[in-house]
Amino acid sequence: MSRADTSQAATQRPGLSRAQMAWRAAQDILDGAYVNLGIGIPEMVAAFVPEGREVVYHTENGVLGFGPPPEAGAELRELINAGKKPISLKPGASFFHHADSFAMIRGGHIDVCILGAMQVAQNGDLANWSTGAEGAVPAVGGAMDLVAGAKAVRVITDHLTSKGEPKLFERCSFPLTGRGVVERVYTNLAVIDIGEDGFVLRERAPGISVDQLRELTAAPLIVAEDCTTIVVPAL
Amino acid sequence: MSRADTSQAATQRPGLSRAQMAWRAAQDILDGAYVNLGIGIPEMVAAFVPEGREVVYHTENGVLGFGPPPEAGAELRELINAGKKPISLKPGASFFHHADSFAMIRGGHIDVCILGAMQVAQNGDLANWSTGAEGAVPAVGGAMDLVAGAKAVRVITDHLTSKGEPKLFERCSFPLTGRGVVERVYTNLAVIDIGEDGFVLRERAPGISVDQLRELTAAPLIVAEDCTTIVVPAL
Amino acid sequence: MIDKSCASVEEAVAAISDGDTVMIGGFGEAGSPIELIHALIDQGARDLVVINNNTGNGRVGLAALIAAGRVRRMICSFPRGTTDTLFPELYRAGKIELELVPQGTLAERIRAGGAGIPAFYTATAAGTTLAEGKETRDFDGRCYVMERGLTADYALVKAEKADRFGNAVYNKAARNFGPIMCMAARTAIIQVGEIVADGAIDPEHVITPGIFVQHVVAVDEPALESELIAQGASYP
Amino acid sequence: MIDKSCASVEEAVAAISDGDTVMIGGFGEAGSPIELIHALIDQGARDLVVINNNTGNGRVGLAALIAAGRVRRMICSFPRGTTDTLFPELYRAGKIELELVPQGTLAERIRAGGAGIPAFYTATAAGTTLAEGKETRDFDGRCYVMERGLTADYALVKAEKADRFGNAVYNKAARNFGPIMCMAARTAIIQVGEIVADGAIDPEHVITPGIFVQHVVAVDEPALESELIAQGASYP
């Protein structure tokens, strides 16, 4: 989705803008991490990693150590990410073939993977590849590999669908991408961990109450003792 | 074994010298073949491939396209074959890691592998890694991979052991390297194929009779209709 | 003398037969062997099983091969282009079969096929609908799915340069599926920008050793999928 | 800033613990990380499980580690040197365990471990004593043996050059087990002749991407096993 779409949509939503969600997720990425960012809002995370932290980005199609899109006109057709968009290279980059690239994923070498979601369940189940609708042509890409292989799988998603339906459930109704794989969810309204006993509310967006979150979440919400308000810059 | 050993031993054996055995095996290597040669007499084969045939040699430790040992003083410690002896590089050489090297073997990309043998059975079973003696420390190296993976597995061996015992049997008594893997055996006395029904005598060494071969082979010998005498240069 | 070079893409693909399985390299337009695919369209083989990560874009390259009705079955991870409705329409109409494979499993199955591994286990897709009908097995308390190695009759791959032995190097992310498809196909055909002299590729830098390559064909100025699509091109 | 370099081999191996599994690269003396092995001898960890193709030569490097009684168990394909009787004597005396693995199966098990593959099938060793006690299974009419992936706590590897990210290149046949051992170990430690500046290694030429490497240590003038042995050296 383009940035234009993002900001337009953001004005219609309560809580954090999409850029603020990405910013919040970026704060949890540690110095030296190997990170794979999914298409869409997750891609925006890279722009908000705090100064002083050096992060190495992996893309499934076989590049490690890539940077932001090059300036217009400097794009190279052979230098793209898994979303098929142009990227640049940072110092320490490398190229490798597809089997080696997924060996990095499946072998547990990627520290953090951040993806979008259609549904997340309180046990960490993730559905983000198919609604399972009759007649839909299924397409999965690397999502199942990423959630099965990355050391930490985190999700960025709006708390509700565009129709106002919940996306956080006791159980996913859509076909799963992986079982028990998600460790943390960043929404426009909250930061929620998957704990032993289900969703644990860690942070609320400014102005959002626990009661509102309970109403908008289709599963029990355990409020962490140290639950705080998300502090985000204007973005 | 050094060449000095070879020629010394050769003078005490009937039929072909070791170099002649290698020469004979070399005639069956086609232009453009990818070939893996075992330690010992098989290594000598490369020297006798007919002019005009270009052969690419593979060594398990990760080199394709190597050539004969370099001149004394020009050896590089990082440029060795699976026998840990110095090699040179030919045009079109490449280096790769051990898993890729054995992917070439296991994946059926090596056209011909030539190995030594302790025992060969009439069904193509090969024993060349262990006598199975009590207390022996087993060591297998890449032999089992080569015989399982190469498109054609051929054996060069003396027809008899140094004690005068047969090496070609109805069944191997030593632990197997692989089952039903050998397609052709070059001995100092004969060229023998493994056919549907057992050993097929294709060629006899000069002065060696079928009756002699039957006596020295511990399995039935089918004499091919077109069985000929091996014609080898003096070597 | 070993010389795997072919005079033309036509010659390179001439022996591909009806019913063959053909791996086609490329991820997006990076590494897409368009000229080889177009030669395959001209050549006429049909009823093909094609293995590629996607199903092409526009009406050129793989999408054109599919549009020409030559593909009986696609094995891929993502059978959709950004805007493309070709594959979905054919699929819904029952005119093409689909085996959907997670991308990393697809890559590993190809690598396994090339390495003589008939089957392996992966945690990818365990507990999902894509594991339905597949054997699963626990190792050390985790559930894994058994997946089979994939081999092919042919691979069509685009590389940057190769020598007469077929030793090849790639260009950046255009490497993607090329090296493993060359391993997994009985006959790997690579189109390269340039066939270089002996010794021009450092043995340390070879990505696909020539043992995995059967034919090399020079395509000096390969077409770019995105440019063809921008031009509204349609093949043939 | 990412900087995986260590000041010394001592620092690099400091955290290796009793009972750890340690993969050690090298085939013959090519790629043998002698300085790292000697640092491990000095460091004192014992009861180690060591994975290497062989069991070392002379009384230096891996052979010295074994002679020092630090290795509980060897996983290798060929536990003999040309003239060496060290391992056979310890083995016959029941002082060291041996898991004998065909060389290609060993390499593939290490690669599988690094790639998150818990098990795979190979035709290698099917029908031999080395398949005894292992599961076998037919695929398409051929018998295959199930083999498990191998992982390790540490890998000790010698490469030619690396940068601060751990991106490494090797020297000729010294590459051998290095790349796959780096993949399969939780902590891969590589000794290199030179730690080079950012950008000094072309991204196209990287053999081991830094993601597989945790520590890099410069050993400017590494000892050569054959020279040490010729000198009659014995470590410590």
Side-chain angles (χ1 to χ4, degrees):
Chain A
M1 117 182 14
S2 73
R3 294 226 177 189
D5 292 343
T6 307
S7 22
Q8 186 183 19
T11 58
Q12 302 158 352
R13 295 156 54 252
L16 309 189
S17 69
R18 289 192 162 86
Q20 287 174 318
M21 291 159 68
W23 180 91
R24 178 59 193 86
Q27 308 313 301
D28 291 341
I29 293 181
L30 302 182
D31 189 28
Y34 288 86
V35 175
N36 184 296
L37 300 175
I39 296 170
I41 308 179
E43 281 179 285
M44 299 167 64
V45 168
F48 300 118
V49 170
E51 288 270 328
R53 298 188 199 170
E54 191 172 24
V55 174
V56 181
Y57 296 100
H58 171 268
T59 181
E60 297 95 297
N61 52 319
V63 189
L64 203 57
F66 70 89
E71 310 216 335
E75 302 95 344
L76 296 174
R77 291 170 199 282
E78 293 80 12
L79 193 52
I80 57 176
N81 64 15
K84 289 153 191 167
K85 288 193 270 192
I87 53 177
S88 58
L89 291 186
K90 296 209 261 189
S94 55
F95 300 114
F96 32 85
H97 64 57
H98 234 77
D100 280 349
S101 184
F102 280 88
M104 294 175 187
I105 294 170
R106 196 186 312 99
H109 306 282
I110 303 290
D111 295 307
V112 180
C113 166
I114 304 183
L115 294 164
M118 295 170 174
Q119 299 181 333
V120 180
Q122 61 185 358
N123 64 352
D125 286 358
L126 171 67
N128 78 345
W129 71 285
S130 165
T131 61
E134 272 308 306
V137 179
V140 66
M144 287 191 182
D145 306 283
L146 282 160
V147 301
K151 281 185 207 157
V153 175
R154 300 174 191 158
V155 161
I156 301 184
T157 177
D158 278 0
H159 206 91
L160 302 176
T161 68
S162 54
K163 293 179 181 168
E165 305 283 341
K167 300 185 83 168
L168 277 59
F169 291 92
E170 292 193 5
R171 291 172 61 107
C172 297
S173 58
F174 292 163
L176 296 184
T177 308
R179 288 188 187 271
V181 294
V182 177
E183 71 162 40
R184 174 165 276 200
V185 183
Y186 307 94
T187 80
N188 53 320
L189 306 184
V191 176
I192 293 173
D193 282 349
I194 313 300
E196 288 281 301
D197 301 313
F199 290 128
V200 178
L201 179 67
R202 292 282 174 206
E203 300 174 23
R204 292 173 287 125
I208 305 293
S209 71
V210 171
D211 283 348
Q212 283 174 294
L213 281 167
R214 289 212 154 108
E215 190 152 330
L216 302 174
T217 304
L221 209 50
I222 300 160
V223 181
E225 277 185 31
D226 56 353
C227 179
T228 58
T229 299
I230 310 175
V231 181
V232 281
L235 287 170
Chain B
M1 119 183 13
S2 73
R3 294 225 177 191
D5 293 344
T6 307
S7 22
Q8 188 182 18
T11 59
Q12 302 159 352
R13 295 157 53 253
L16 309 189
S17 69
R18 289 191 161 86
Q20 287 173 319
M21 291 160 66
W23 181 92
R24 177 62 194 82
Q27 308 315 300
D28 292 341
I29 295 181
L30 302 182
D31 189 28
Y34 287 87
V35 175
N36 185 297
L37 300 175
I39 295 170
I41 307 180
E43 281 180 285
M44 298 166 65
V45 168
F48 300 117
V49 170
E51 287 273 329
R53 298 188 199 170
E54 191 171 26
V55 173
V56 181
Y57 295 100
H58 171 269
T59 181
E60 298 95 295
N61 53 317
V63 188
L64 203 56
F66 69 88
E71 311 216 336
E75 302 94 344
L76 297 174
R77 290 170 201 283
E78 292 81 13
L79 192 52
I80 56 175
N81 64 14
K84 288 151 191 169
K85 287 193 270 189
I87 53 176
S88 58
L89 291 185
K90 295 209 261 188
S94 57
F95 301 113
F96 32 84
H97 64 56
H98 233 77
D100 280 349
S101 184
F102 279 88
M104 294 176 188
I105 294 170
R106 197 187 313 97
H109 306 282
I110 303 290
D111 296 306
V112 180
C113 167
I114 303 182
L115 293 165
M118 294 170 176
Q119 298 182 333
V120 180
Q122 61 185 0
N123 64 352
D125 287 359
L126 172 67
N128 77 346
W129 71 286
S130 165
T131 61
E134 273 305 309
V137 179
V140 66
M144 287 190 181
D145 306 282
L146 282 161
V147 302
K151 281 186 207 157
V153 175
R154 300 175 191 158
V155 161
I156 299 184
T157 178
D158 279 359
H159 207 91
L160 302 177
T161 68
S162 54
K163 293 180 183 167
E165 304 283 340
K167 300 184 83 168
L168 276 61
F169 291 92
E170 292 194 3
R171 291 173 61 105
C172 297
S173 58
F174 292 163
L176 295 184
T177 308
R179 288 189 187 271
V181 294
V182 178
E183 69 162 40
R184 174 166 277 202
V185 183
Y186 306 94
T187 80
N188 53 318
L189 305 185
V191 177
I192 294 172
D193 282 351
I194 312 300
E196 288 280 304
D197 301 313
F199 289 128
V200 178
L201 179 65
R202 292 282 174 208
E203 300 175 23
R204 291 174 286 125
I208 305 293
S209 71
V210 171
D211 283 349
Q212 281 175 298
L213 283 165
R214 289 212 154 109
E215 190 153 330
L216 302 173
T217 304
L221 208 53
I222 299 160
V223 182
E225 279 184 33
D226 56 351
C227 179
T228 58
T229 298
I230 310 175
V231 181
V232 280
L235 286 169
Chain C
M1 192 177 97
I2 295 174
D3 185 1
K4 299 182 181 174
S5 65
C6 293
S8 65
V9 288
E10 291 71 29
E11 182 187 323
V13 304
I16 300 180
S17 302
D18 292 355
D20 276 353
T21 297
V22 183
M23 294 177 170
I24 299 181
F27 181 90
E29 71 177 320
S32 178
I34 295 189
E35 283 74 11
L36 284 173
I37 302 171
H38 288 176
L40 177 57
I41 293 174
D42 296 343
Q43 189 260 19
R46 49 183 60 248
D47 211 26
L48 301 171
V49 176
V50 171
I51 302 171
N52 178 272
N53 191 62
N54 301 82
T55 49
N57 290 292
R59 286 296 179 280
V60 296
L62 174 55
L65 185 71
I66 293 170
R70 303 295 178 71
V71 182
R72 175 171 61 81
R73 176 182 175 81
M74 274 301 309
I75 303 179
C76 70
S77 87
F78 208 88
R80 282 206 284 266
T82 337
T83 55
D84 217 0
T85 56
L86 169 68
F87 185 89
E89 281 165 17
L90 289 171
Y91 178 71
R92 287 200 197 91
K95 290 186 177 159
I96 193 164
E97 300 167 28
L98 169 64
E99 179 177 345
L100 189 75
V101 182
Q103 193 169 336
T105 297
L106 181 64
E108 189 66 13
R109 289 180 64 190
I110 295 168
R111 192 260 173 203
I117 306 288
F120 61 90
Y121 294 89
T122 173
T124 298
T128 78
T129 53
L130 291 193
E132 281 172 11
K134 292 185 176 170
E135 270 188 53
T136 59
R137 176 162 174 164
D138 282 13
F139 291 99
D140 305 324
R142 188 170 185 196
C143 180
Y144 294 85
V145 182
M146 190 178 85
E147 295 281 357
R148 299 295 307 271
L150 276 173
T151 55
D153 299 295
Y154 288 88
L156 307 184
V157 164
K158 183 181 180 181
E160 185 70 3
K161 293 181 205 173
D163 60 22
R164 64 183 172 94
F165 298 93
N167 293 304
V169 296
Y170 297 82
N171 184 2
K172 304 184 183 67
R175 189 183 302 189
N176 58 68
F177 285 91
I180 53 176
M181 287 183 169
C182 287
M183 291 173 71
R186 275 192 293 127
T187 302
I189 305 168
I190 56 175
Q191 68 168 73
V192 295
E194 188 187 0
I195 298 179
V196 297
D198 287 8
I201 304 176
D202 184 331
E204 299 280 8
H205 300 163
V206 170
I207 300 301
T208 291
I211 192 171
F212 296 130
V213 174
Q214 283 66 45
H215 301 304
V216 179
V217 57
V219 176
D220 299 350
E221 301 204 357
L224 291 162
E225 185 182 277
S226 57
E227 285 184 5
L228 292 176
I229 293 172
Q231 293 158 12
S234 169
Y235 199 86
Chain D
M1 193 179 95
I2 294 173
D3 186 0
K4 298 182 182 175
S5 64
C6 293
S8 65
V9 288
E10 290 72 29
E11 183 187 321
V13 303
I16 300 180
S17 300
D18 293 354
D20 276 353
T21 296
V22 183
M23 291 176 173
I24 299 182
F27 181 90
E29 72 177 321
S32 177
I34 295 188
E35 283 73 12
L36 285 172
I37 302 170
H38 289 176
L40 177 57
I41 293 173
D42 295 345
Q43 189 259 21
R46 50 182 60 247
D47 213 26
L48 301 171
V49 176
V50 171
I51 301 171
N52 178 272
N53 190 61
N54 300 83
T55 49
N57 290 292
R59 286 298 177 278
V60 297
L62 174 54
L65 185 71
I66 293 170
R70 301 295 178 68
V71 182
R72 175 171 60 79
R73 176 182 175 82
M74 274 302 309
I75 303 178
C76 70
S77 86
F78 208 88
R80 283 206 283 265
T82 337
T83 55
D84 218 1
T85 56
L86 170 66
F87 185 88
E89 280 166 18
L90 289 171
Y91 178 72
R92 287 200 197 93
K95 291 185 175 159
I96 193 163
E97 300 167 27
L98 169 65
E99 179 176 346
L100 189 74
V101 183
Q103 194 169 335
T105 297
L106 181 65
E108 190 66 15
R109 289 180 64 190
I110 294 167
R111 191 261 172 199
I117 305 289
F120 62 90
Y121 294 89
T122 175
T124 299
T128 77
T129 53
L130 291 192
E132 280 172 12
K134 291 184 176 171
E135 270 188 52
T136 59
R137 177 164 175 162
D138 282 12
F139 292 99
D140 304 325
R142 189 172 184 195
C143 180
Y144 295 85
V145 182
M146 191 178 85
E147 295 281 357
R148 299 295 307 271
L150 276 173
T151 55
D153 299 296
Y154 288 88
L156 308 183
V157 164
K158 183 182 183 181
E160 185 70 3
K161 294 181 202 172
D163 61 22
R164 65 184 172 93
F165 298 92
N167 293 305
V169 295
Y170 297 82
N171 184 3
K172 304 184 182 67
R175 189 183 300 189
N176 57 71
F177 284 92
I180 53 175
M181 288 183 168
C182 287
M183 292 173 71
R186 276 193 292 126
T187 302
I189 306 169
I190 56 175
Q191 68 169 70
V192 295
E194 188 187 0
I195 298 179
V196 297
D198 287 8
I201 303 177
D202 184 330
E204 299 280 8
H205 300 164
V206 170
I207 301 300
T208 291
I211 191 171
F212 296 129
V213 174
Q214 283 64 46
H215 301 305
V216 180
V217 57
V219 176
D220 300 349
E221 302 204 356
L224 291 163
E225 186 182 275
S226 57
E227 285 184 5
L228 292 176
I229 292 172
Q231 292 158 13
S234 168
Y235 199 87

